[in-house]
Amino acid sequence: MKVRVETLERTTLVIPEGRLDFSAAARFQQHIEQALTGRDAAPAALIIDCAALEYVSSAGLRVFLLAARASQRAGIAFALSALQPAVREVFELSGFSRMMAVHTDRDAALAQLPSGPVYKERHAVVANDAAELPTLTRFLQEFWSAAKLPADAALPFELALEEAFMNIVMHGAPAGTARVEVSLVLAGPRLTITIEDDGPQFDPLSLPAPDITAALEQRRVGGQGVHLMRQMMDEVSYQRVAARNQLKMSRQIDR
């Protein structure tokens, strides 16, 4: 596989040609990493133009995923363009086409790049008390308004934030005895909510999924919140970091 890199002002174009299989994945990842850091400065946007990409396997998908995450962390707008039919099918089957901005061609991708800052971040700290829920909802709504995000796209994030916070309140330390830190990070079209608390270890994603096909008398009470979080967000992950619970939820916002 060949890889070309072009620069248009502060946008870097990475152009793979041929087959992106296991043997080519490591070298392609090196090109992406170099493109993200830039020769003199990191780019404002990274577009992978797939017009000449004929084949992609799971090893290649992994590189795309790592590139999208690295771009998000760095505040770099990330997009794909011109997926050929065989490659598009792999992206659709894997769900990747729902996690990343995909445009019909390079010009369309360039036209959709944000004109202003692509990276916005805010933080809030509250006690693990149900009375603080309105504070967090207001925090998210103020962020939403300031970032000029579409009002009709807010509901999934409000719901996911409430469910995650109330899980901490109900299953964590006694009310008011732990700190809950909420971070909102908007990178390009993707918003990530990170919720950390210093209560006892609790992984909400370990709870069994409800049987949504069960009859009324067989339906288990509880477990709906985590199910809604998973369904509303593109990605949800949990880890225990430095004696703190950390839950991350992210979703792409269509403007």
Side-chain angles (χ1 to χ4, degrees), residues 29-49:
Q29 184 171 346
Q30 290 178 350
H31 282 285
I32 296 293
E33 291 172 351
Q34 292 170 1
L36 286 170
T37 55
R39 185 169 297 178
D40 299 312
L46 174 68
I47 296 175
I48 303 181
D49 185 340

Side-chain angles (χ1 to χ4, degrees), residues 4 15 23 64 70 79 83 102 110-111 118 122 124 127 134 138 145 155 157 173 180-181 185 187 199 227 243 248:
R4 293 186 293 117
I15 308 164
S23 62
F64 281 103
L83 297 184
V102 180
L110 290 169
V118 297
R122 284 193 65 188
R138 192 163 52 250
S145 177
L155 177 61
F157 293 92
V180 181
E181 298 183 17
V185 177
H227 175 70
K248 285 193 174 186

Side-chain angles (χ1 to χ4, degrees), residues 22 27 49 60 73 77 92 96 121 123 126 130 134 136 155 159 172 180 187 192 209 222 225 237 245:
F22 180 83
R27 191 164 66 88
D49 185 340
R73 288 194 298 269
E92 290 176 350
F96 275 43
E121 182 172 358
H123 303 270
V126 298
L136 289 181
L155 177 61
L159 188 151
V180 181
T192 298
S237 63
N245 297 301

Side-chain angles (χ1 to χ4, degrees), residues 3-63:
V3 181
R4 293 186 293 117
V5 178
E6 299 179 4
T7 302
L8 298 174
E9 296 182 352
R10 291 202 62 204
T11 298
T12 296
L13 296 165
V14 177
I15 308 164
E17 302 177 5
R19 294 171 59 88
L20 179 49
D21 54 19
F22 180 83
S23 62
R27 191 164 66 88
F28 183 53
Q29 184 171 346
Q30 290 178 350
H31 282 285
I32 296 293
E33 291 172 351
Q34 292 170 1
L36 286 170
T37 55
R39 185 169 297 178
D40 299 312
L46 174 68
I47 296 175
I48 303 181
D49 185 340
C50 301
L53 185 63
E54 303 167 357
Y55 172 94
V56 63
S57 68
S58 62
L61 288 177
R62 179 179 180 275
V63 179

Side-chain angles (χ1 to χ4, degrees), residues 18 48-57 61 64 79-106 108-109:
I48 303 181
D49 185 340
C50 301
L53 185 63
E54 303 167 357
Y55 172 94
V56 63
S57 68
L61 288 177
F64 281 103
L80 310 176
S81 68
L83 297 184
Q84 297 307 299
V87 174
R88 178 177 292 276
E89 182 177 13
V90 174
F91 269 76
E92 290 176 350
L93 290 173
S94 63
F96 275 43
S97 57
R98 297 192 298 273
M99 295 191 297
M100 305 173 190
V102 180
H103 302 281
T104 54
D105 54 40
R106 182 189 299 185

